[in-house]
């Protein structure tokens, strides 16, 4: 029987099928199968391996030295990579089109080239002229970055072998193609094959290869996530187009922590570092108003203060709306359910809107209490103390739980001029030390928080003394 000359590959999950079907059996995706030519010599590299040379086994101790790193000097970038780019590693930088990936990486390569590293920037999307114009605008035109506009993997690899670079940017992996495969550029098979070759190149030569990948609407890189497990680190560049700042977040990192973020601001002449994000996120905060609280959060090693806004209003139509920007909607549903069940606040027939100001995204459960406080503040239409930060996790029973690293959160709050912290009831020595940093308003349970908000709301007018009794430490 002759060998088949083509196969059908699901563009969503990568499963290979023998014949075409409307729906992928493996992942259930419709219209995702694409015909690809089978390369019958694909396995030949295996057969080339010489007999008698097995694999080599080494001790764990043999690799205990830290890998050498290239520090760019852009602190926000270096922190996310875990202290600089590791030689011989491959990174994927993903993000929406137009978010600033090319700008960021051109700036990073510029910095590395300035230090005498051999940097190569390969653009498959823009002409060399376009990249040069951008470099001039970013003030990098004099930096010795080698530039190429190329989309053929073979040409790229040949060029790199001749040049022996320290760092290579491939902008983007979706534009690269190899003639070893019949598939069109941008398909799973092409992206996978090109990423594999480039990763191998990185390991073999000790260069650091950075692949740029566009994210589709549903948050996946190149449609499938085929590249994510091949590379050593996956960084996402995210942000709202309507806001100036951009966040670089480590999604996976074999050489460092994954919860770090780097904050940048997009301006006229490229991306600028934001060393103190809290002041950026809070600087639009107005006077004390109801439905707002300040959450003392943590992003990796760094405390970040953000404003949480809530609005509870009568629903205009039949089904009440729950709209969330910057937080998890499931988590909001939980906080609302606990408020209903434990505190008797009804949200039936009410719209609830929740917004993290400035377009920031919070992932910590420690924000529960700040969210509940903002919602309660909106329900009773009374402002929370303007100089207080809020943090704590809420359990389904309505208890407020202490969260990790309270000290750092409170120190950051004090640095930014806050006067007190609304948080869980803490016991022992630790709480003594913490109240040295900021006076603590201890909240044992959610009903405790609600009764304080209620007390301050029922006071005649906005008398300060009433607020003082409601929010006594
Ligand atoms: P770009 O890096 O091309 O995005 P990506 O590679 O992720 O697709 O960034 C494009 C956007 O950035 C574009 O909308 C213009 C804006 N921008 C600035 O605001 N200032 C600048 O100095 C540069 C270079 C770009
Ligand atoms: Mg780009």
């Amino acid at each position: 029987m002759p060998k088949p000359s083509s196969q059908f590959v699901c563009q969503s999950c990568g499963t290979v099928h023998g014949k075409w079907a409307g729906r992928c059996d493996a992942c259930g995706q419709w219209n995702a199968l694409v015909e690809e030519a089978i390369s019958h010599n694909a396995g030949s590299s295996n057969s080339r391996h010489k007999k008698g040379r097995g694999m080599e086994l080494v001790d764990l101790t043999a690799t205990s030295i830290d890998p050498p790193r290239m520090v760019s000097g852009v602190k926000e970038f270096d922190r996310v990579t875990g202290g600089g780019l590791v030689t011989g590693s491959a990174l994927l930088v993903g993000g929406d089109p137009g978010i600033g990936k090319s700008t960021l990486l051109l700036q990073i390569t510029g910095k590395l080239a300035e230090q005498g590293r051999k940097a190569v920037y390969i653009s498959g999307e823009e002409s060399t002229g376009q990249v040069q114009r951008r470099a001039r605008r970013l003030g990098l035109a004099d930096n010795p970055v080698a530039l190429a506009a190329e989309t053929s993997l073979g040409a790229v690899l040949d060029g790199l072998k001749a040049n022996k670079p320290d760092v290579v940017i491939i902008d983007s992996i979706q534009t690269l193609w190899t003639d070893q495969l019949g598939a069109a550029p941008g398909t799973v098979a092409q992206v996978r094959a090109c990423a594999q070759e480039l990763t191998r190149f990185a390991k073999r030569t000790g260069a650091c290869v950075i692949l740029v990948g566009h994210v589709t609407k549903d948050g996946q890189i190149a449609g499938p996530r085929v590249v994510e497990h091949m590379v050593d680190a996956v960084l996402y560049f995210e942000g709202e187009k309507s806001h100036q700042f951009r966040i670089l977040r480590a999604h996976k990192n074999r050489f460092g922590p994954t919860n770090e973020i780097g904050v940048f601001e997009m301006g006229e002449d490229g991306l600028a570092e934001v060393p103190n994000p809290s002041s950026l996120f809070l600087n639009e905060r107005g006077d004390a108003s109801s439905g707002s609280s300040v959450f003392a959060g943590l992003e990796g090693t760094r405390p970040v203060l953000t404003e949480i806004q809530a609005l509870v209003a009568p629903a205009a139509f039949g089904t009440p709306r729950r709209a969330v920007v910057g937080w998890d909607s499931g988590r909001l549903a939980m906080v609302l359910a606990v408020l209903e069940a434990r505190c008797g606040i009804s949200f039936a027939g009410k719209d609830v809107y929740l917004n993290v100001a400035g377009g920031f995204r919070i992932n910590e459960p420690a924000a529960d209490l700040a969210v509940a406080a903002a919602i309660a503040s909106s329900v009773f239409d009374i402002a929370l103390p303007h100089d207080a930060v809020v943090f704590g996790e809420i359990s389904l029973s309505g208890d407020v739980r202490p969260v990790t690293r309270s000290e750092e959160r409170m120190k950051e709050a004090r640095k930014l001029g806050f006067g007190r912290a609304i948080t869980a009831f803490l016991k022992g020595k630790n709480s003594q030390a913490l109240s040295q940093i900021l006076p603590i308003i201890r909240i044992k349970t959610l009903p405790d928080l609600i009764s304080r908000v209620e007390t301050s709301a029922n006071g005649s007018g906005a008398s300060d003394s009433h607020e003082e009794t409601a929010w006594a430490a």
Side-chain angles (χ1 to χ4, degrees):
M1 204 176 103
K3 284 187 184 170
S5 62
S6 66
Q7 60 189 11
F8 297 84
V9 180
C10 174
Q11 300 298 295
S12 175
C13 68
T15 306
V16 178
H17 299 258
K19 58 178 198 256
W20 190 84
R23 182 169 178 268
C24 173
D25 290 339
C27 68
Q29 190 79 18
W30 288 92
N31 287 331
L33 299 201
V34 168
E35 183 173 10
E36 287 174 5
I38 299 178
S39 140
H40 288 299
N41 55 10
S44 61
S45 59
N46 289 342
S47 51
R48 253 189 275 132
H49 120 95
K50 291 193 190 76
K51 226 176 161 185
R53 201 192 124 261
M55 64 180 175
E56 201 183 317
L57 298 171
V58 294
D59 300 339
L60 281 175
T61 49
T63 53
S64 66
I65 40 162
D66 279 344
R69 290 184 186 262
M70 291 180 270
V71 179
S72 69
V74 179
K75 286 210 185 70
E76 297 296 306
F77 182 81
D78 292 335
R79 180 172 343 94
V80 178
T81 53
L85 296 170
V86 175
T87 54
S89 71
L91 269 81
L92 177 68
V93 176
D96 289 327
I99 205 74
K101 300 181 294 296
S102 305
T103 309
L104 174 73
L105 292 170
L106 193 58
Q107 285 182 265
I108 299 295
T109 32
K111 287 275 184 209
L112 288 168
E114 223 169 54
Q115 299 168 19
R117 306 273 185 189
K118 207 159 178 188
V120 176
Y121 187 101
I122 298 162
S123 178
E125 295 182 347
E126 291 162 295
S127 67
T128 46
Q130 281 174 306
V131 182
Q132 282 161 345
R133 272 194 295 280
R134 183 194 302 234
R136 201 178 317 138
R137 195 140 64 86
L138 298 173
L140 298 169
D142 298 332
N143 291 27
V145 176
L147 198 62
E150 185 55 70
T151 55
S152 154
L153 180 71
V156 166
L157 285 173
D158 288 346
L160 292 180
K161 271 169 206 154
N163 264 294
K164 299 194 175 45
D166 294 315
V167 55
V168 183
I169 313 289
I170 307 286
D171 189 1
S172 66
I173 185 70
Q174 276 111 337
T175 56
L176 270 197
W177 62 278
T178 163
D179 51 14
Q180 305 278 324
L181 293 171
T187 53
V188 186
Q190 285 285 4
V191 169
R192 185 170 44 201
C194 293
Q196 211 154 27
E197 279 301 319
L198 288 162
T199 311
R200 202 175 302 151
F201 171 82
K203 307 274 170 222
R204 204 173 49 228
T205 63
C208 175
V209 176
I210 302 180
L211 310 173
V212 175
H214 292 295
V215 172
T216 59
K217 270 206 207 88
D218 49 4
Q220 296 196 319
I221 289 184
R225 305 197 106 127
V226 284
V227 185
E228 285 193 5
H229 68 265
M230 276 180 221
V231 293
D232 298 300
V234 179
L235 313 180
Y236 277 100
F237 204 37
E238 52 187 45
E240 299 286 325
K241 290 254 177 68
S242 50
H243 287 96
Q244 290 299 303
F245 70 89
R246 303 279 181 267
I247 291 167
L248 186 69
R249 207 183 274 276
H251 183 71
K252 154 182 170 178
N253 193 352
R254 286 185 184 147
F255 306 109
T258 53
N259 49 6
E260 290 290 1
I261 61 165
V263 185
F264 298 89
E265 199 169 356
M266 180 66 95
E268 286 284 290
D269 41 7
L271 291 155
E273 294 181 70
V274 179
N276 190 349
S278 303
S279 54
L280 176 79
F281 295 133
L282 290 180
N283 75 358
E284 286 160 23
R285 191 167 163 248
D287 296 335
S289 62
S290 67
S292 152
S293 70
V294 175
F295 168 55
L298 275 178
E299 290 291 338
T301 52
R302 207 160 41 156
V304 178
L305 265 51
T306 36
E307 185 192 351
I308 293 180
Q309 301 164 344
L311 178 67
V312 180
F317 303 105
T319 320
R321 290 199 61 182
R322 306 281 183 255
V324 191
V325 179
W327 207 46
D328 182 28
S329 55
R331 202 84 202 166
L332 173 68
M334 190 208 90
V335 170
L336 292 179
V338 177
L339 281 169
E340 287 221 38
R342 310 288 171 193
C343 310
I345 300 176
S346 170
F347 294 98
K350 298 226 176 90
D351 286 342
V352 179
Y353 300 92
L354 190 81
N355 179 36
V356 178
F360 192 66
R361 211 188 144 72
I362 298 174
N363 297 315
E364 272 189 294
D368 290 353
L369 191 63
V371 168
I375 291 171
S377 160
S378 175
V379 167
F380 293 99
D381 193 23
I382 181 89
L384 297 169
H386 197 59
D387 65 340
V389 291
V390 191
F391 58 94
E393 191 178 334
I394 294 173
S395 72
L396 290 179
S397 63
D399 289 338
V400 179
R401 302 250 169 90
V403 293
T404 53
R405 295 159 63 195
S406 304
E407 191 180 334
E408 285 154 72
R409 300 172 198 264
M410 287 169 61
K411 278 188 176 153
E412 174 79 359
R414 190 177 65 180
K415 209 167 76 190
L416 288 159
F418 285 86
R420 45 191 154 167
I422 300 176
T423 186
F425 191 85
L426 304 162
K427 280 178 284 192
K429 267 205 312 251
N430 194 14
S431 87
Q432 291 276 317
L434 285 179
S435 42
Q436 298 290 310
I437 306 171
L438 280 182
I440 303 174
I441 300 166
R442 286 157 215 275
I443 308 286
K444 216 167 190 171
T445 62
L446 205 46
D448 182 12
L449 175 81
I450 301 306
S451 75
R452 282 173 189 259
V453 176
E454 221 174 345
T455 316
S456 65
N458 292 338
S460 50
S463 93
D464 274 357
S465 64
H466 219 286
E467 196 204 272
E468 284 312 313
T469 43
W471 295 104

